[in-house]
Amino acid sequence: MTSTRVIHQGPSPEEDYGLDAVAQHNAAVTSTEQFPVYQDDAKGLGIYHDGFTPYQEDASYLHNPPTPRSNTTSDGVRTRSGRSTRRTDSPFSNGARVSKSPAARSKKEKKSKMDRSKMPKLTAPLSVLTKDLSVPMKDMDAWVNRSAETRRQEVEKRNGYVTRPMNSFMLYRSAYAERTKAWCVQNNHQVVSSVSGESWPMEPQEVRDQFNEWAKLERANHAAAHPEYKFSPSKSTNKRRKGEASDDEDDVVSEADGDPDGEYRAGSGRSVRQRRQAPQQHEQIPLNNTYGFDSHPYYGQQVSGYEQSHYQYANPGRPLPSNIAYTAEGVPYNTQTNSYIQQQTYQHPQYPYVQDVRGARIPTPKSINGQQQQQQQQSVGGYGLPGGQQMGADELFTSSRTGTPMQQYNQYGQPIYPQYTQQSYQQSTPYQHPAPPPPVSQAYAEHQAYLQAASQPQVAIDPGLEAEFNGNSGQEENHFENAIGDLTAADLGGLEYYQESTSPDGALAPAWSPTEMLK
DNA sequence: AAGAATGAAAA
DNA sequence: TTTTCATTCTT
């Protein structure tokens, strides 16, 4: 059970990466095969599949021309855009996402008109790729805990229309939107969507669980704020959007079109849908997130104020490798001082958008470079541990899912909590020199190629960035090398050398103070 | 105004 | 099973 290789035997490659133009693009640009995909202990360094990994198919699809027609098979899940997604079921996932609607593709092959050559091929989820960007992440705790009052204000702003609560993915996308834009050089939000969509299934189950919890919170708080709300989509393909709630004459449809349920949404496509609810003033405090791990350690221990580590995202629930641990009750304490970190009751700040960076663009590459360049590789959590295959926690896997449990444990069941405790992080060898550096040049070249390709058609990039672009000292180099840095760190053999709280960037991205961002 | 994404909920 | 709609903002 030492080497967890492939297992994957289900979906033939053709259905995996159906019409992935990115693949072809990348194939044309450079051989992706040599790309240091960190997976499956490829280097014999004890790095096993950790949940981020792009998957075996990633390497194989190049050789196998797509046959877009074919449908999903045993375990192939493909997105609406035709991309394939991995099965992210971790045995730990309470998600209980039993069977994803099997007959996905039926009629309309939704052909995406997007030119995906402008899209980077993700080799890791955004939580990894962007972890070192100084672009702040949206404070989702604060967001989903917006007070009912705030929510009603939003409704008023929308002219009385109550929008749906965001689902987990929407939350995810919004959480990473700015970072995604920084990472990709594109500023197009469609790219953000695409990239997010590609990243989402790559995210470790813990991360997605986190966003699911947030989505649940969002729904609950939404319901609390708008008790009478009920989702009632319009039947007609009436694209009416945004602000307007009622009073639209030009509205089509309704009973005139022989609409069966005329009264369902009488007059306007969406006006009647939501009756305005009485402004009940019994302001209910939003549900506090008492979900196990979703509270953010950095509320308790402030790091730089807003820059949250990837680890906390990718590994919610696990003790921080550095010096933060949690009691059974979830109370964070410092393992080095043996003192409790200030209890994080985190009553939502008065204002929701703690880190909502709206107009923010990419921070000056200079500052990014200056700071991040120095940083040692702070390994990202989640990599498998050396010899970490003996998951003796079979009891934990009782959540029988149809399928082949054993294999899945091996390949995806990496986050073994027992193993992630103490032993691995703290007391493992402080710092051994990394093994020979990964083939950065190739990776770098590939990404450079991507960047070039991206900039070919039109340079819709911040002017200030373009200089860096040509001068190669931009952040694109940076974030990419950071991605490689993950690898390097992983190459240490599972050494989780994390300096979260000791990050030297006390003045990290000074221009990015949340307050300023809100302007 | 279209569109890029996933998921919840309704038809 | 299929459709709508949450978000966002460039094109």
Side-chain angles (χ1 to χ4, degrees), chain A residues 202-427:
Chain A
M202 288 186 194
E203 291 288 358
Q205 189 61 48
E206 290 87 347
V207 171
R208 308 196 344 179
D209 287 343
Q210 170 69 88
F211 280 92
N212 282 332
E213 296 299 332
W214 275 326
K216 257 159 58 178
L217 268 173
E218 172 67 9
R219 275 201 305 273
N221 289 326
H222 180 276
H226 315 111
E228 301 190 36
Y229 170 82
K230 191 164 190 228
F231 176 52
S232 35
S234 67
K235 197 191 185 75
S236 66
T237 60
N238 206 14
K239 309 292 205 197
R240 168 149 272 84
R241 248 304 50 78
K242 262 350 188 190
E244 301 316 332
S246 40
D247 55 52
D248 281 8
E249 323 312 316
D250 58 304
D251 216 44
V252 237
V253 181
S254 127
E255 55 273 8
D257 280 2
D259 212 355
D261 45 335
E263 80 282 34
Y264 187 74
R265 66 203 148 6
S268 89
R270 66 160 67 270
S271 62
V272 173
R273 248 215 278 315
Q274 296 138 167
R275 280 122 45 186
R276 183 182 258 64
Q277 45 241 317
Q280 39 174 269
Q281 295 306 352
H282 33 285
E283 172 70 24
Q284 298 214 7
I285 278 280
L287 292 73
N288 259 344
N289 42 323
T290 48
Y291 298 91
F293 46 72
D294 62 351
S295 53
H296 284 206
Y298 73 95
Y299 282 132
Q301 180 171 23
Q302 214 62 7
V303 183
S304 63
Y306 46 84
E307 175 68 353
Q308 125 162 266
S309 79
H310 153 69
Y311 179 88
Q312 295 167 0
Y313 250 81
N315 308 280
R318 288 182 196 143
L320 279 179
S322 59
N323 58 355
I324 302 179
Y326 291 91
T327 67
E329 302 81 25
V331 180
Y333 66 94
N334 190 315
T335 57
Q336 297 184 346
T337 64
N338 270 336
S339 61
Y340 285 95
I341 298 166
Q342 61 177 278
Q343 176 59 292
Q344 35 151 337
T345 31
Y346 178 49
Q347 295 295 12
H348 62 283
Q350 51 208 347
Y351 208 71
Y353 308 76
V354 172
Q355 299 188 99
D356 186 6
V357 287
R358 294 192 61 83
R361 282 299 107 103
I362 306 171
T364 66
K366 261 190 262 333
S367 59
I368 290 182
N369 246 0
Q371 292 155 0
Q372 313 240 340
Q373 210 76 343
Q374 315 309 348
Q375 299 198 345
Q376 286 282 40
Q377 79 306 40
Q378 28 178 248
S379 109
V380 58
Y383 290 97
L385 302 172
Q389 282 317 90
Q390 82 259 20
M391 51 187 76
D394 286 336
E395 318 85 297
L396 295 176
F397 301 91
T398 52
S399 68
S400 72
R401 301 179 14 78
T402 60
T404 58
M406 273 320 281
Q407 295 182 338
Q408 288 187 354
Y409 301 161
N410 285 339
Q411 190 155 22
Y412 311 128
Q414 212 48 314
I416 311 298
Y417 288 97
Q419 294 181 346
Y420 265 87
T421 50
Q422 274 65 332
Q423 58 155 50
S424 47
Y425 297 129
Q426 262 110 276
Q427 39 81 309

Side-chain angles (χ1 to χ4, degrees), chain A residues 462-489:
Chain A
D462 272 13
L465 228 80
E466 197 162 6
E468 315 288 351
F469 218 71
N470 304 326
N472 89 7
S473 63
Q475 64 170 42
E476 54 275 9
E477 164 183 31
N478 198 18
H479 68 58
F480 195 77
E481 289 196 320
N482 283 335
I484 302 302
D486 294 338
L487 245 189
T488 312

